[in-house]
Amino acid sequence: MRIILLGAPGAGKGTQAQFIMENYGVPQISTGDMLRAAIKEGSELGQKVKAVMDGGQLVSDELIIELVKDRVKKEDCAKGFLLDGFPRTIPQADAMKENGIDVDFVLEFDVPDEEIVKRMSGRRVHAASGRVYHTVYNPPKVEGKDNETGEDLSIRADDVEATVRKRLGIYHDQTAPLIAYYGKEAEAGNSKYVTFDGTQAVDAVSKQLAELLG
Ligand code: AP5
Ligand code: ZN
């Protein structure tokens, strides 16, 4: 099963990726998590992208395409994968096609901007695993601690309101055109395209996903 999760920052891609990974056994490929891990390691890649990410801008297509091309070749992707945060520009989607990376499903989460701004202020993350929480909508069992490891949760550097609004602007300009792009792909029979109402509760969205994926 090869899946793309599409949606604005904060639409719930990472949250539902966790559900799909746990229930369908496909690895999550989150370009955002990969880049944040590189920053934490202090690698050359991390040093290159830190300022861009903290400012809420997109990293260059070339860099991201190389990252994903290498990642999907790994053994754990043989039976499928879940792309979270990629592609997010038309050139990235074109590069997938050029490299023969097909997908079965494109799943879009639709959430209005104002709801997203509210959500991001309460987001807490376990950076090492990519697990995502919300202080009100999806709280951890123990405040400020990851459910699995008990380690401290943190706030992402790009979750400041002004940066969230900038990321939303970039989403509408550069990523939202992929909705029409993958709509056409679906009409051509290349993949299925399904939109979910991402304003529903986390469990309600997961339930609809399970109905679709079987
Ligand atoms: P990335 O990490 O991909 O961030 P993003 O796309 O902005 O998405 P988010 O992770 O912010 O949101 P999400 O949809 O995963 O929401 P979540 O589930 O966490 O990218 C970060 C940066 O990396 C980019 O800005 C860019 O610089 C760079 N980058 C990455 N990929 C790139 C690419 N392909 N090209 C170029 N640059 C790239 O949920 C958010 C919050 O809401 C959480 O608190 C959660 O608990 C809560 N929540 C989730 N679902 C619900 C619900 N149904 N009801 C209530 N609350 C909910
Ligand atoms: Zn995410």
Side-chain angles (χ1 to χ4, degrees):
M1 193 168 4
R2 296 168 156 210
I3 303 173
I4 291 174
L5 300 183
L6 191 62
K13 301 182 296 296
T15 301
Q16 298 302 335
Q18 200 69 42
F19 170 79
I20 296 172
M21 208 168 35
E22 281 163 12
N23 290 279
Y24 298 90
V26 283
Q28 173 194 18
I29 303 180
S30 161
T31 41
D33 284 352
M34 289 164 83
L35 295 170
R36 280 184 290 275
I39 292 175
K40 208 167 171 211
E41 278 168 21
S43 69
E44 199 183 321
L45 170 68
Q47 290 172 21
K48 232 188 256 177
V49 301
K50 184 174 189 316
V52 177
M53 279 183 80
D54 286 356
Q57 309 279 0
L58 292 186
V59 170
S60 78
D61 286 332
E62 292 72 22
L63 216 157
I64 287 285
I65 289 164
E66 280 309 307
L67 200 68
V68 174
K69 255 168 63 183
D70 288 349
R71 180 65 186 84
V72 296
K73 281 185 200 143
K74 297 225 166 110
E75 216 181 301
D76 64 336
C77 292
K79 288 199 179 140
F81 49 75
L82 177 61
L83 290 169
D84 163 8
F86 179 94
R88 62 209 268 157
T89 63
I90 300 272
Q92 291 179 17
D94 285 341
M96 283 184 67
K97 272 192 176 174
E98 284 155 20
N99 287 283
I101 307 169
D102 302 324
V103 290
D104 306 306
F105 294 99
V106 179
L107 309 178
E108 182 206 345
F109 302 116
D110 186 28
V111 181
D113 287 6
E114 284 316 308
E115 182 63 30
I116 281 171
V117 173
K118 266 192 259 167
R119 274 188 193 179
M120 300 302 236
S121 63
R123 173 158 60 184
R124 299 293 180 272
V125 296
H126 181 244
S129 68
R131 278 186 286 276
V132 190
Y133 302 89
H134 190 282
T135 49
V136 180
Y137 305 131
N138 188 18
K141 288 176 195 146
V142 178
E143 200 185 323
K145 304 284 180 193
D146 176 48
N147 285 351
E148 306 283 320
T149 62
E151 288 167 358
D152 286 343
L153 301 178
S154 58
I155 297 178
R156 265 172 53 175
D158 58 352
D159 275 352
V160 188
E161 183 174 335
T163 311
V164 170
R165 291 195 185 274
K166 194 191 284 170
R167 287 160 62 202
L168 283 169
I170 293 172
Y171 171 78
H172 291 297
D173 286 349
Q174 300 204 44
T175 307
L178 292 176
I179 296 171
Y181 183 105
Y182 283 111
K184 281 199 196 123
E185 288 290 303
E187 276 169 23
N190 294 337
S191 48
K192 286 203 175 102
Y193 189 95
V194 184
T195 304
F196 296 87
D197 173 2
T199 63
Q200 305 172 88
V202 172
D203 288 352
V205 179
S206 301
K207 192 164 165 257
Q208 291 185 343
L209 277 170
E211 279 162 15
L212 174 75
L213 300 173

